[in-house]
Amino acid sequence: MMQVCLNGARGAGDGALIPLSPGAMAESVAQAVAAGARDVHVHPKSPCGQDTLAPRAVAAALEAVRSVTSVPVGVTTGAWADPDPEQRVAHIRAWTVLPDHASVNWHEPGAEAVAEALLDRGVGVEAGLWSGTDGAERFAAWAHGPRVLRVLAEVTDPDPATARDSARALLTAIGPAHGRPVLLHGEEEGTWPVLRLAGRLGLATRIGLEDTLALPDGRRARSNAELVRAALSLLGPDPA
């Protein structure tokens, strides 16, 4: 399974190609799905372009994206959007339009409460386990682990020379992952080495402007769709 990660916490300073408005998100998703993406991860934005969990912004992003595709669509619940765990839970409980899934970064304070709020609302949980954190250990101890949709093994090592080793170490730390599927991905210059490793291991993966602005040959990507096409050309027609 190839997921497209549209925008992440990036903003206008990263270039005009980052989709920030609901309309731009929808256009980018339509192109990425046509290129072969089968799942979407998006960061809803405030009017000033900042990540937000506010119900109105989440609804606008989801409605726009769903107007152009029927593939599953997920959002972030990252603490940078709101550092107060109780407020993140309150936002989730107030959402008027629900995503198919949402990522929860397990090293962040309140991750378990955020995940439980999502499960209570019938939203799939992507358990984000970052390298270099205690996320894997905390997730292994969580009683509701078998209920998550999947585990996101997020390799934060941006060095292409070491990212693969960091990925293997993270997968070892994650272990059986409560029996849930694992999606492995990297970031910045570590993106492509980790994506190739995911393909060799038969794991789901993702690509998009959240993770990297560059194609495998170092050229700047012009769109999420171009990144998806490049990823699939490396992995073959079915990376799963």
Side-chain angles (χ1 to χ4, degrees), residues 48-74:
C48 60
Q50 300 300 310
D51 283 10
T52 179
L53 307 183
R56 182 176 296 182
V58 171
L62 291 174
E63 288 171 347
V65 169
R66 285 176 171 153
S67 73
V68 300
T69 187
S70 60
V71 306
V73 183

Side-chain angles (χ1 to χ4, degrees), residues 84-151:
D84 182 350
E86 293 184 2
Q87 186 60 38
R88 295 203 301 278
V89 168
H91 278 316
I92 291 166
R93 298 200 184 282
W95 283 349
T96 57
V97 178
L98 296 177
D100 296 288
H101 51 75
S103 62
V104 179
N105 300 318
W106 229 262
H107 63 282
E108 294 176 349
E112 294 84 356
V114 170
E116 287 167 15
L118 292 166
L119 291 174
D120 287 346
R121 299 215 63 191
V123 177
V125 172
E126 295 181 307
L129 309 184
W130 292 25
S131 61
T133 74
D134 65 351
E137 182 180 358
R138 284 178 57 186
F139 180 68
W142 190 50
H144 299 295
R147 297 177 61 194
V148 307
L149 175 66
R150 59 178 156 256
V151 166

Side-chain angles (χ1 to χ4, degrees), residues 145-161:
R147 297 177 61 194
V148 307
L149 175 66
R150 59 178 156 256
V151 166
L152 301 182
E154 307 201 21
V155 181
T156 60
D157 179 357
D159 187 337

Side-chain angles (χ1 to χ4, degrees), residues 4 6 17 19 23-34 68 209 223-225:
V4 61
L6 284 193
L17 52 83
M25 294 176 198
E27 181 179 4
S28 187
V29 165
Q31 295 170 354
V33 170
V68 300
L209 295 169
S223 66
N224 279 301

